[in-house]
Amino acid sequence: MLRPQLALVSFFCLAVASVAGAQIPPGCGPIFTANDKLAEAPYHAVTTTTLAGRPQTSETVSIGEATYVLRQGQWTRIPTTPKARLAAEREELSKATSYTCTLIGDESVDGVAATHYRTHFQTAASATETDVWIAKATGLPVKRESDLMRGGGKSMAMHNVQRFDYANIRVPPGVK
């Protein structure tokens, strides 16, 4: 049960992933740079994913080559590294029929000065709209909010909100 949910959460990262060896679409450079930095930065993220009107919250801690996920009260180390996940996301971007980025403007998220961007990632089967707020001081994401739509954007399938923290990151207690 954990694996499909991780895949769904990972899918939302596609909207801000970078493209190895491909030209970066206009306006997307800061978003791609932030996602590359995230693959190397220690962080804690709280993610709320809403499927069929049912929200589920999970937590992620990423430190070095290890990533841990808290689901149903249990911390588990996931088998892939942040860089391996980023590489898989880059591969998925090659399937896009459209990818655009728009600067929305300067905003504050939980007291952090940030720049707000919106991305649109389209494939033949689905579309994802993602808003990402990148901290001005660090260049790292502080929040991402995504909507995955089936059938090229006709009906919403999933809503995802992630908030990131970068202070005092440690391996979670009781990891299995």
Side-chain angles (χ1 to χ4, degrees):
M1 184 163 148
L2 179 61
R3 216 172 265 269
Q5 298 215 344
L6 287 174
L8 291 173
V9 169
S10 180
F11 178 82
F12 283 107
C13 294
L14 295 176
V16 292
S18 44
V19 183
Q23 183 176 358
I24 296 173
C28 295
I31 300 166
F32 290 8
T33 299
N35 202 54
D36 286 343
K37 287 178 81 170
L38 185 64
E40 297 194 15
Y43 69 86
H44 170 250
V46 176
T47 304
T48 301
T49 302
T50 303
L51 291 162
R54 294 186 200 123
Q56 292 188 335
T57 300
S58 65
E59 292 184 55
T60 304
V61 170
S62 184
I63 301 173
E65 293 297 307
T67 302
Y68 309 91
V69 176
L70 177 64
R71 294 278 303 137
Q72 300 175 344
Q74 181 67 50
W75 283 103
T76 305
R77 183 174 176 167
I78 61 174
T80 60
T81 67
K83 289 181 184 178
R85 285 190 309 280
L86 183 61
E89 292 164 1
R90 289 174 176 158
E91 176 70 24
E92 285 297 312
L93 275 177
S94 68
K95 299 174 187 174
T97 56
S98 173
Y99 188 90
T100 60
C101 301
T102 305
L103 171 65
I104 303 300
D106 294 338
E107 296 179 18
S108 177
V109 177
D110 299 327
V112 175
T115 304
H116 179 186
Y117 295 88
R118 179 165 297 136
T119 68
H120 177 81
F121 176 79
Q122 180 88 37
T123 68
S126 66
T128 303
E129 293 283 339
T130 300
D131 286 270
V132 60
W133 290 261
I134 300 171
K136 289 179 171 287
T138 64
L140 288 162
V142 290
K143 180 181 175 185
R144 287 194 284 219
E145 189 163 345
S146 302
D147 288 303
L148 168 67
M149 295 154 278
R150 287 180 258 191
K154 297 188 172 133
S155 66
M156 187 165 74
M158 183 172 23
H159 181 74
N160 189 58
V161 178
Q162 292 178 298
R163 290 188 178 268
F164 298 90
D165 176 34
Y166 301 95
N168 302 315
I169 307 304
R170 295 188 173 93
V171 173
V175 172
K176 295 219 176 190

